[in-house]
Amino acid sequence: MQVKEIGLIVGAGEGLSAAVARIMAREGMAVALAARSLDNLAALAKETDAKTYACDASDTRQVASLFESVDRDVGTPTWVLFNPSRRSRGPLVDLDPETVKQDILVTCFGGFLVGQQAAKRMVKAGGGSIFFTGASASVKGYARSAPFAMGKFGLRGLAQSMAREFQPQNLHIAHFVIDGSIAPRGGNGKDDRLNPDSIAETYLAIHRQHRSAWTWEIELRPWTETF
Amino acid sequence: MQVKEIGLIVGAGEGLSAAVARIMAREGMAVALAARSLDNLAALAKETDAKTYACDASDTRQVASLFESVDRDVGTPTWVLFNPSRRSRGPLVDLDPETVKQDILVTCFGGFLVGQQAAKRMVKAGGGSIFFTGASASVKGYARSAPFAMGKFGLRGLAQSMAREFQPQNLHIAHFVIDGSIAPRGGNGKDDRLNPDSIAETYLAIHRQHRSAWTWEIELRPWTETF
Amino acid sequence: MQVKEIGLIVGAGEGLSAAVARIMAREGMAVALAARSLDNLAALAKETDAKTYACDASDTRQVASLFESVDRDVGTPTWVLFNPSRRSRGPLVDLDPETVKQDILVTCFGGFLVGQQAAKRMVKAGGGSIFFTGASASVKGYARSAPFAMGKFGLRGLAQSMAREFQPQNLHIAHFVIDGSIAPRGGNGKDDRLNPDSIAETYLAIHRQHRSAWTWEIELRPWTETF
Amino acid sequence: MQVKEIGLIVGAGEGLSAAVARIMAREGMAVALAARSLDNLAALAKETDAKTYACDASDTRQVASLFESVDRDVGTPTWVLFNPSRRSRGPLVDLDPETVKQDILVTCFGGFLVGQQAAKRMVKAGGGSIFFTGASASVKGYARSAPFAMGKFGLRGLAQSMAREFQPQNLHIAHFVIDGSIAPRGGNGKDDRLNPDSIAETYLAIHRQHRSAWTWEIELRPWTETF
């Protein structure tokens, strides 16, 4: 008997996360979607036959509860994608510290909470994939955007540490540097922004890699992007 | 009239921070020292003729208050060093999330709070240096040490973003990758751990750089260190 | 009419290059194989129905001649893989300079020669993929292995420069950091060395990427590899 | 008896190398200057009381001969700086391969030749510094500038490999990323290009570092530089 794969996306919404959900469904996986608010998830959930969960990814208790619910409703995830981020921009001296703190907690600490819950289960199950979505800001700290740099650099540190700890336990940990802005679904005709469906194909290819040749980090950008 | 330089060290204690304080004093600067607890600062304060301040670097209000006190007691700092860090180690699945959150807030968010207060004043004053102490974990996420990787990667992102924003405003932002363990004062005879006084000489050399040739990042390790 | 894809592998032999050749053939591409010596290529050429060419990749005239022959015999390549490398190891003071020079010329200058001939044709044709095989030594200079570090760092510099120049001309340039040793065909049962067929699947996935979401660099290592 | 330090600069000329020569002389070191042509070295040699040598840094025999001459005329160098580079720019498809080969040989292979001769002597002597001058192109491959990227990436690989091999033998190996253009001597008043005398002060500070806290890599750029 072929066990059905179970995909869980934390930070589900439009764009990239929706594209990954569709690919999970296309590949025959059971899909679970978590987001801070369920308001806009109904259509995607229907399209991918997914269970949905409201969850603030920066809240320890809510993340634990999310995974318990998924265990019960769907089963232990075999592929978890952490996608949320939050950022403030503007002159650093004008930023509100409490807002900046929340930015870091959502973008980086949330990744820890989700990674920890996923790893607990996958170590027991003997395998699985935990993927983290990064950005240009994961490797380059832009002016007037320190909160995003702090969150995304920190998330990359988490992903690298988890790769070193968990890959020898058969968990595939990968970090994606999305270096450019994402186009609406279907692209924009000129291909000069990242088409979410195209990104999602690469996520799937990395998930499908044989463990003798795993990727920890990969970057993606449009052909026209200066970098 | 030569204006006296004012050095402020946040996260003052033994080791590197004490060595920088001594170098500041040796160079004729007025010195201000801040630490979570003042219990062990008396001898260093006496030696460097420094004012001391109790401050939790991850607390927005306390950091604002610290800078107001330094303004009043000593003057606007011309050289600020952010030094604090906190970390939990062990299998990721065993870490306590609330402890991890505090690790990130001290190591990374605290850097933002201190950097913001320093930048506000230095932009008005027309110049100054803001330095951040990093570690091996700033650029390499080690297994079973994700909290330190998150905090130190994030702090590096902050420092890089601040360099891009503030260097064109005449603020020298620098990040130091201390790649190895620090020896007690005076070294250990074999020089196979970082001598804090030697590190501090490099901090001073970077602070003294002419603005036509500023360093943003520099790494330091013992001659014997494999890397 | 669907135009047939044409794959050219420079530095063809056992291991990774043979695996890519097989995948090209499996995908219905015409295959051309170039190597310094044709002695061991007969079986692979038969298996992949490939034309073979003797070519020293560090020789300007031979590389030009190779591409002219492929043009004539097979057509303009749509996917070129540069694979050769040469290295000397040992204490740096004992290395023979002329041997080191040849190492650099094969590993790095050869990449330029092949990249230039490929780019000339692909720019005219309006598209194509040029891939370069790197190694751990592309991003980390190991002790007693400077010639490999020089060659592979240099090749990475070439690949990055070519990506910036040619991606906006619809040429996909990619650099693969193969971080570990490659197992014999079929793997070794423990998956603790890179299976060449598994690496080749990732090469294909990158070649198949839509241009709105291209990867310039990707690393591959076994699940058990410490890094 | 205090042994006199001996500084050797390979690739001596105007700008940075002249500034380092002046600092060596100011610090009381004996100075040796090597360049492809001696035509413009007379004034600098007089100012720094230096011996001068004609040497093509990419020629194995000439580099060996240079070090033998310095041994005989001045003594074993305690501080060697490798500075030469050569580059071709323009569309990659238009570059002349033989010119590109020479670019790589001067910028990268020349570094090997000089590093090898210096290391041989310093290992016997029990210590010394070998420094390599890099550029923005050492860490970023710019479009239409592949030859410089190949040479400078490759030189960085050499420097990193040599640091790992020789630092535990008490040789300080350092690589300088000069990220910006260098102003004429004395700067340009706005400090928006690197002042060579300011760069040279940092070279000296790194040379003076205690071996318990050595820097392998440091970057330098003007305060106004976007990066």
Side-chain angles (χ1 to χ4, degrees), chain B residues 164 167-168 191 193-195 198 202 209-223 227, chain D residues 164 167-168 191 193-195 198 202 209-223 227:
Chain B
R164 287 199 170 88
Q167 297 207 158
D191 304 332
R193 292 168 64 196
L194 290 137
N195 183 334
S198 304
T202 296
Q209 286 179 324
H210 185 259
R211 69 178 182 173
S212 88
W214 273 351
T215 290
W216 167 67
E217 185 164 74
I218 182 170
E219 52 182 344
L220 292 162
R221 66 174 62 81
W223 65 303
F227 70 105
Chain D
R164 287 198 171 88
Q167 297 208 156
D191 304 331
R193 292 167 64 196
L194 290 138
N195 184 334
S198 304
T202 294
Q209 285 179 324
H210 185 259
R211 69 179 183 174
S212 87
W214 273 351
T215 291
W216 166 66
E217 185 164 73
I218 183 171
E219 51 182 343
L220 292 161
R221 65 174 63 81
W223 67 302
F227 69 105

Side-chain angles (χ1 to χ4, degrees), chain C residues 128-149:
Chain C
S129 295
I130 307 174
F131 288 5
F132 298 93
T133 297
S136 313
S138 303
V139 291
K140 185 171 175 182
Y142 292 87
R144 290 171 295 286
S145 190
F148 203 44

Side-chain angles (χ1 to χ4, degrees), chain A residues 44-150:
Chain A
L44 179 65
K46 190 173 176 195
E47 184 184 348
T48 59
D49 195 20
K51 294 273 181 188
T52 58
Y53 303 88
C55 177
D56 174 351
S58 65
D59 183 293
T60 302
R61 202 185 46 72
Q62 289 188 38
V63 172
S65 172
L66 163 68
F67 275 81
E68 288 160 12
S69 299
V70 173
D71 283 345
R72 190 188 56 229
D73 298 346
V74 194
T76 299
T78 54
W79 182 10
V80 170
L81 170 60
F82 178 80
N83 209 45
S85 69
R86 237 191 70 165
R87 64 173 123 175
S88 317
R89 275 187 281 202
L92 184 120
V93 298
D94 295 340
L95 297 175
D96 169 53
E98 288 311 306
T99 304
V100 173
K101 184 194 286 187
Q102 291 309 312
D103 291 341
I104 297 171
L105 292 179
V106 168
T107 308
C108 172
F109 179 61
F112 169 78
L113 292 175
V114 169
Q116 187 183 45
Q117 293 294 337
K120 272 183 190 172
R121 286 159 174 80
M122 291 180 182
V123 167
K124 277 186 196 152
S129 295
I130 307 175
F131 287 6
F132 298 93
T133 297
S136 313
S138 303
V139 291
K140 185 171 175 182
Y142 291 87
R144 289 170 296 286
S145 190
F148 203 43
M150 285 186 276

Side-chain angles (χ1 to χ4, degrees), chain B residues 70-153:
Chain B
V70 173
D71 284 345
R72 188 188 59 229
D73 299 346
V74 195
T76 299
T78 54
W79 182 10
V80 170
L81 171 60
F82 179 80
N83 210 45
S85 68
R86 238 191 68 166
R87 64 173 122 175
S88 317
R89 275 188 280 204
L92 185 119
V93 298
D94 295 339
L95 297 174
D96 170 53
E98 288 312 304
T99 304
V100 172
K101 184 193 287 187
Q102 291 309 313
D103 291 341
I104 298 171
L105 293 180
V106 168
T107 308
C108 173
F109 179 61
F112 168 79
L113 292 176
V114 169
Q116 186 184 45
Q117 292 294 336
K120 273 183 190 172
R121 286 159 173 81
M122 291 180 181
V123 167
K124 277 186 196 152
S129 295
I130 307 174
F131 288 5
F132 298 93
T133 297
S136 313
S138 303
V139 291
K140 185 171 175 183
Y142 291 88
R144 288 172 296 285
S145 190
F148 203 44
M150 285 186 276
K152 286 295 193 185
F153 270 64

